[in-house]
Amino acid sequence: MKLITVPLSKEAMHRLDYNESIDGDLLELELSDNQLHILNKVNLFEEINYKLGLNIDDYEDESLHDMNKIKKLNEILTSMINKENEHIINSILELSNAALNKKTGIFFYF
């Protein structure tokens, strides 16, 4: 299961750190194998890793808490949108924007 998660408050972020999240704490997007295939066709995660100094990969957990890096993530996502991946990238952008608005973070559980 590949999951992208955004805590909706600082308290929710703290609970996430201790695996104690409660209903309403998180926005989550579970990526299907097909969605991952579509994103891998444009090397999305490799590009994010390279530009943001991350290691989003199988069996790796990563997170972004720096608001400037989350803004950069939005730029990367926007630059990679095409007809085939538009829906899924827009879904990730929604999560990223929520992290910016709530001033929390975005977590990648791969």
Side-chain angles (χ1 to χ4, degrees):
M1 173 176 73
K2 313 292 190 214
L3 188 67
I4 303 173
T5 301
V6 173
L8 296 176
S9 68
K10 294 288 185 188
E11 295 80 14
M13 196 156 74
H14 178 75
R15 285 191 291 271
L16 180 63
D17 283 341
Y18 293 96
N19 199 27
E20 297 175 350
S21 297
I22 58 175
D23 285 344
D25 268 358
L26 308 171
L27 286 179
E28 296 184 308
L29 175 64
E30 187 174 336
L31 298 174
S32 70
D33 289 339
N34 185 53
Q35 289 169 324
L36 279 171
H37 176 73
I38 289 168
L39 296 174
N40 286 333
K41 283 167 98 172
V42 294
N43 297 315
L44 177 68
F45 297 110
E46 289 84 355
E47 189 73 9
I48 292 170
N49 288 341
Y50 175 74
K51 290 188 174 176
L52 298 179
L54 298 177
N55 187 27
I56 301 169
D57 199 0
D58 287 341
Y59 313 109
E60 297 291 337
D61 295 341
E62 273 290 358
S63 63
L64 282 173
H65 307 273
D66 180 320
M67 294 302 121
N68 289 324
K69 285 191 175 187
I70 295 174
K71 288 176 187 173
K72 182 68 175 171
L73 172 63
N74 279 359
E75 293 172 12
I76 295 166
L77 291 167
T78 301
S79 74
M80 301 194 90
I81 291 176
N82 65 35
K83 274 276 199 223
E84 185 180 17
N85 67 26
E86 181 177 20
H87 178 72
I88 187 61
I89 287 187
N90 281 333
S91 295
I92 299 169
L93 274 166
E94 286 178 27
L95 292 176
S96 183
N97 285 324
L100 285 171
N101 291 333
K102 301 293 183 180
K103 295 187 179 6
T104 55
I106 186 164
F107 296 76
F108 298 86
Y109 297 110
F110 281 39

